[in-house]
Amino acid sequence: MSVTSSFTMRLFLVSLSLALLALSLAAYCFVQIPLIKDPIAAVISNLEDQLLADRSQLSQPEAERLDAHLRVLRFDTQALNAAHTNLWRAGVLGFLGLGIANLVVAGVAYKKHKLQNANGAG
């Protein structure tokens, strides 16, 4: 077995190992990062329309406090959505892309190794 053949076999094994690790991490992130089924902003709007439509029974300080809490909820919802999107991109899609790239490198290294062995044996 030549030095280059040994190198391509090691490259294949390392790339395959990294691919399996990255794909496992992508699957783990997919399971751990929950899908947002109901947008929180829609739930807040629904609560406002159904339960908080009549604010005449609230005093001025209570109405202001309610509006402040609703603003905080809306802001936190935007931050949560941004973080969720970034986690999906980095976690699931990033590890998936890394895994596919390593699979491609492993495939090329394996083909090169087989070609080198065929040329060396013949």
Side-chain angles (χ1 to χ4, degrees):
M1 183 180 261
S2 70
V3 174
T4 56
S5 179
S6 174
F7 173 75
T8 55
M9 183 49 98
R10 274 188 258 144
L11 179 64
F12 165 73
L13 292 174
V14 168
S15 295
L16 186 63
S17 299
L18 288 174
L20 293 175
L21 177 66
L23 293 174
S24 297
L25 287 170
Y28 176 79
C29 289
F30 179 77
V31 170
Q32 293 299 317
I33 300 171
L35 296 175
I36 296 177
K37 294 179 180 142
D38 294 321
I40 297 171
V43 173
I44 293 170
S45 295
N46 190 21
L47 284 174
E48 281 184 312
D49 294 343
Q50 291 183 358
L51 301 177
L52 304 172
D54 183 21
R55 292 183 178 211
S56 62
Q57 297 177 355
L58 298 176
S59 67
Q60 183 66 22
E62 289 174 333
E64 290 173 0
R65 191 169 52 236
L66 177 65
D67 288 335
H69 288 306
L70 289 173
R71 277 193 303 274
V72 168
L73 282 172
R74 284 192 184 98
F75 176 77
D76 287 350
T77 299
Q78 291 171 350
L80 174 67
N81 288 340
H84 185 269
T85 301
N86 291 337
L87 278 173
W88 261 89
R89 286 181 185 151
V92 178
L93 300 178
F95 284 127
L96 186 63
L98 187 62
I100 291 170
N102 275 301
L103 280 176
V104 169
V105 170
V108 170
Y110 185 73
K111 284 183 181 180
K112 188 173 181 181
H113 175 73
K114 284 189 77 150
L115 181 64
Q116 287 173 349
N117 281 348
N119 288 341

